[in-house]
Amino acid sequence: MTTAMRRSVVLIAAATTLVAGCSTGQGDPSVAVAVGGVNLATVDQVQQQLSDLLTNNQQAQDMAKQRQLDQVARGIVTQDVLHVLTAEAAKQQNVTVDESLVTQLAPILTAPPQQQQGTDADPAAQTTAVVNAAFPATDVARDKVIQMQLGRKSVGTVSVTADVAILSDQNEARSLANRIAQSPDKAVPLIQSAKSMVQDPFVDRRFGYRASDKQHDPANQIVGVAAQPFMYVPAGSVLMWRLTGEQGGYAVIYIKDRQTGPAPADLDLSQVNPLQFVDVGKFSLVPLALQRGVKPNQRYGEWDMVNMQVISASEAATGSFVIAPANPKQ
């Protein structure tokens, strides 16, 4: 056995130890994830993908040495979920795919992040690149092309009115979100009395494309708003959203009203980079995910409905969540 082969055997054994664990709670322990009660993949299939990565992918081997393969496993399960939701949304919206375009874009959409951006990528982008390598490049590209088309169709069609508070303390934010969910009629005074990080909370703030200010909102900004997950939850929902960036903090968002309709005919998105529509398309899957229900095996963690991904149990304890109304208006 060569040194390289011995190293692969050791890494594969490490991967099995890192992500196998014991499944707890309800459900079939052999199932990696289920959507709408339908099992998508088995734990053994996820393990095999990890083993294949450790044999063929240097970045995966590096992550194994750093004990980060659990992130890759969660990414693989996330990819399985998004694939199914993307296919269902495409069927519902009659979105078709030009396979020649998929073949053409596959090398671009699945390229390592340094090649995509021309600079060193952040760790999350590196993990995404490893996860993508666990699947055929054309499958990854096809999902992204569909999400791109779903996103393009979605921009300008949704508008929400919300009350928003930005808090620094996670426990206070979680408590506020739960209190609003229990007493939505008291959302405004609850938000106004919260220890906000900004001088004034947002009350009756409208988000989304509005014909009255289209000349003031650049197309990229309109697309950016459409890529926010809170745009797609039902009216009456409460979100606690862990914010990224230097400021950090937690946004507590109460969706008071949500309106949908055709995009204005004069909405010009011709100058927008088509790749910007991918995130819009992904988050437009939120209603479908809420309707179907996503249940990952607890060895991988929990489903984060805000960020549309599987997260660890420790992340779920401090991360984002959605409290949907019992009887959604939309």
Side-chain angles (χ1 to χ4, degrees):
M1 183 181 292
T2 66
T3 300
M5 290 177 64
R6 283 196 297 270
R7 183 177 67 176
S8 294
V9 170
V10 171
L11 288 172
I12 290 170
T16 303
T17 302
L18 281 169
V19 300
C22 295
S23 177
T24 59
Q26 299 178 349
D28 186 340
S30 69
V31 174
V33 64
V35 174
V38 177
N39 300 334
L40 303 188
T42 67
V43 171
D44 286 345
Q45 288 171 330
V46 175
Q47 290 298 121
Q48 184 60 56
Q49 287 172 287
L50 288 171
S51 296
D52 292 343
L53 283 172
L54 287 167
T55 301
N56 304 308
N57 188 285
Q58 180 62 53
Q59 284 183 309
Q61 294 170 8
D62 293 341
M63 293 185 73
K65 294 175 183 177
Q66 299 169 24
R67 296 185 174 274
Q68 296 176 340
L69 277 184
D70 55 337
Q71 299 173 21
V72 180
R74 288 194 290 273
I76 289 172
V77 176
T78 296
Q79 198 96 310
D80 286 331
V81 173
L82 293 178
H83 173 73
V84 169
L85 294 176
T86 298
E88 184 170 349
K91 185 176 180 180
Q92 290 179 352
Q93 299 188 37
N94 297 315
V95 170
T96 58
V97 179
D98 181 347
E99 289 298 327
S100 63
L101 179 62
V102 171
T103 302
Q104 178 184 348
L105 292 179
I108 300 172
L109 295 176
T110 61
Q114 292 93 334
Q115 294 182 26
Q116 291 181 359
Q117 302 172 7
T119 59
D120 291 336
D122 61 56
Q126 297 285 3
T127 300
T128 298
V130 175
V131 171
N132 286 343
F135 298 88
T138 51
D139 289 356
V140 175
R142 186 179 297 105
D143 283 351
K144 289 188 176 182
V145 169
I146 295 173
Q147 289 164 8
M148 198 184 302
Q149 293 182 71
L150 292 171
R152 178 63 181 81
K153 291 181 66 174
S154 180
V155 173
T157 67
V158 181
S159 174
V160 303
T161 302
D163 298 332
V164 185
I166 311 295
L167 289 78
S168 60
D169 185 84
Q170 183 264 333
N171 290 326
E172 290 183 3
R174 184 174 291 268
S175 174
L176 176 62
N178 285 314
R179 281 182 289 157
I180 292 174
Q182 294 169 5
S183 304
D185 58 316
K186 299 179 181 178
V188 171
L190 286 170
I191 283 177
Q192 289 176 333
S193 63
K195 298 178 181 179
S196 178
M197 293 175 63
V198 296
Q199 185 172 2
D200 296 308
F202 302 112
V203 175
D204 289 333
R205 176 72 177 268
R206 192 175 180 191
F207 299 88
Y209 183 78
R210 290 169 289 177
S212 62
D213 58 12
K214 63 180 181 294
Q215 62 267 47
H216 303 298
D217 290 346
N220 286 341
Q221 181 177 327
I222 294 170
V223 174
V225 172
Q228 304 306 314
F230 63 80
M231 298 292 291
Y232 301 98
V233 298
S237 296
V238 183
L239 298 86
M240 189 191 82
W241 189 4
R242 186 174 184 175
L243 303 175
T244 57
E246 294 182 2
Q247 184 178 8
Y250 298 83
V252 177
I253 307 171
Y254 172 54
I255 305 299
K256 304 173 80 167
D257 182 62
R258 182 172 184 269
Q259 300 291 329
T260 60
D266 58 352
L267 175 56
D268 183 10
L269 301 174
S270 60
Q271 300 304 309
V272 176
N273 184 334
L275 291 178
Q276 288 187 251
F277 296 118
V278 175
D279 277 346
V280 181
K282 182 179 79 170
F283 289 118
S284 74
L285 301 173
V286 167
L288 197 54
L290 281 167
Q291 292 168 12
R292 299 291 182 264
V294 179
K295 300 293 182 183
N297 188 308
Q298 290 189 1
R299 75 178 63 204
Y300 302 117
E302 300 181 22
W303 181 252
D304 176 355
M305 192 65 71
V306 175
N307 295 300
M308 292 292 282
Q309 63 185 12
V310 179
I311 57 176
S312 68
S314 60
E315 290 174 313
T318 61
S320 308
F321 62 85
V322 178
I323 306 174
N327 299 301
K329 300 175 185 177
Q330 293 185 21

